[in-house]
Amino acid sequence: DVSFSIENSEWFEWCNPTGSPITVTVGFDEPGGGGDCNIQGAVWVGAALDATTLDCNNPQFDEFGSNPGGGADGFTFTVTVPVGECAFFMVDGYAGTTCAGVEAVVPCPPALLPITLTSFVAESFDNKTVNLAWVTDTEINNDFFTIERSKDGETFEVIGIVDGAGNSTMVNSYGAEDNKPYKGISYYRLKQTDYNGEHYYSKTIAVKIETAFSDINVYPNPIEELGYLSFNSNVNDISEVVIYDVSGRVVLTQEYNTIKGNNKLKLPTINLRRGMYFLIISNKNEKSTIKFIKD
């Protein structure tokens, strides 16, 4: 609430910088009534500009609350303010009257966010890297962006920092690249930091990197004589299987023609001694490891 004296006219500006259209109700009142002072007002809605340049005879939306006939003076404006636009509220004394003690109830505008982020996307490239891109419409005291990555969507690590534009009303496009994404699903978000150290987070988005081998299984486990290796491959390829004992010695190496989809390979494990072994399956792009026991 504010109280003031009207000598000619008073202006209030209410802007909606982000979010969604917001309905605003503003009230003006001259306490006591009795016709001792008559107040009137109007409201304009549109792009932010100097209120003195508005055409008072052609407001985009208006409600005049003059009360020359006496009684309690007062009126309210209710108006919807679209995103990125402002409402200009004007109140003055009817017919040039000077009014003291006029009270206004003007709600606080939403806080100005440091950036208006219009898009944030992340896409895999050749199933090896993740390209990230984002666009801002406006920036206020924007120092830098931090790109963060997570395996589980909860614990994040920093993978890059990109300078912001500081203060800008222009469209700005940004990009970054993750050259070592996690296999499977990775989660990405932006952390925007102001010059004063305050920070804000974007939404989190997920990207899937297909693995060369998935659903790997050695069975039976423990193996008594022959064992089998099953897995899913994302390509037709030649795959190499290498088995190591616990001392790191290679005890078996063999190549297989594997197909895209489900594969089942016979492992020549009859002559292996009892104990724990490590199996590595690989192609020219990737390798995966699983352990098993020979009984």
Side-chain angles (χ1 to χ4, degrees):
D1 295 13
V2 293
S3 295
F4 52 93
S5 176
I6 300 175
E7 280 71 39
N8 187 5
S9 61
E10 296 288 338
W11 288 92
F12 297 86
E13 182 184 28
W14 200 104
C15 296
N16 182 16
T18 185
S20 57
I22 296 176
T23 300
V24 182
T25 298
V26 177
F28 297 97
D29 186 44
E30 199 283 316
D36 55 339
C37 182
N38 301 297
I39 55 177
Q40 62 184 5
V43 61
W44 291 259
V45 177
L49 45 78
D50 183 352
T52 61
T53 66
L54 291 169
D55 180 1
C56 293
N57 295 315
N58 187 29
Q60 291 176 299
F61 173 85
D62 71 325
E63 282 188 12
F64 283 82
S66 61
N67 187 16
D73 298 331
F75 50 87
T76 59
F77 293 127
T78 298
V79 62
T80 298
V81 184
V83 177
E85 295 192 356
C86 299
F88 299 95
F89 300 95
M90 182 275 291
V91 59
D92 70 359
Y94 179 75
T97 303
T98 297
C99 300
V102 173
E103 294 184 348
V105 179
V106 183
C108 292
L112 284 169
L113 293 179
I115 63 169
T116 302
L117 188 67
T118 57
S119 68
F120 174 42
V121 296
E123 297 179 343
S124 64
F125 178 73
D126 286 346
N127 219 39
K128 297 178 181 178
T129 63
V130 172
N131 294 326
L132 300 105
W134 62 99
V135 177
T136 65
D137 268 354
T138 59
E139 299 186 24
I140 302 172
N141 298 324
N142 179 26
D143 193 0
F144 59 89
F145 296 95
T146 304
I147 302 98
E148 298 184 344
R149 179 186 64 192
S150 173
K151 184 77 172 175
D152 57 10
E154 296 181 1
T155 302
F156 285 82
E157 61 180 331
V158 176
I159 62 170
I161 295 177
V162 176
D163 289 337
N167 293 287
S168 173
T169 57
M170 300 174 59
V171 173
N172 290 286
S173 299
Y174 298 89
E177 188 175 272
D178 183 5
N179 293 314
K180 296 181 179 179
Y182 295 122
K183 298 299 181 182
I185 297 178
S186 296
Y187 298 89
Y188 295 88
R189 71 182 182 186
L190 294 175
K191 177 183 177 183
Q192 181 277 324
T193 302
D194 292 353
Y195 289 128
N196 62 7
E198 293 186 7
H199 60 269
Y200 305 85
Y201 289 100
S202 73
K203 66 179 182 179
T204 299
I205 54 180
V207 178
K208 185 176 182 180
I209 299 293
E210 297 289 346
T211 58
F213 307 104
S214 59
D215 300 326
I216 303 172
N217 185 36
V218 172
Y219 65 93
N221 194 5
I223 296 173
E224 291 186 358
E225 294 184 353
L226 280 176
Y228 295 89
L229 171 67
S230 64
F231 60 92
N232 187 283
S233 174
N234 65 359
V235 291
N236 295 321
D237 207 346
I238 297 175
S239 300
E240 183 182 60
V241 173
V242 181
I243 298 177
Y244 298 82
D245 62 19
V246 291
S247 68
R249 183 173 61 95
V250 175
V251 297
L252 185 145
T253 300
Q254 190 162 325
E255 288 188 342
Y256 298 88
N257 289 318
T258 55
I259 62 172
K260 183 177 181 180
N262 295 321
N263 291 264
K264 178 182 176 181
L265 308 179
K266 184 183 294 184
L267 299 175
T269 53
I270 293 177
N271 296 324
L272 294 183
R273 297 179 179 179
R274 297 179 65 182
M276 181 180 292
Y277 293 87
F278 298 91
L279 181 151
I280 296 178
I281 180 170
S282 63
N283 58 21
K284 57 181 176 292
N285 296 318
E286 189 179 330
K287 63 181 180 180
S288 296
T289 303
I290 189 172
K291 63 183 178 180
F292 66 90
I293 295 174
K294 175 67 186 318
D295 211 352

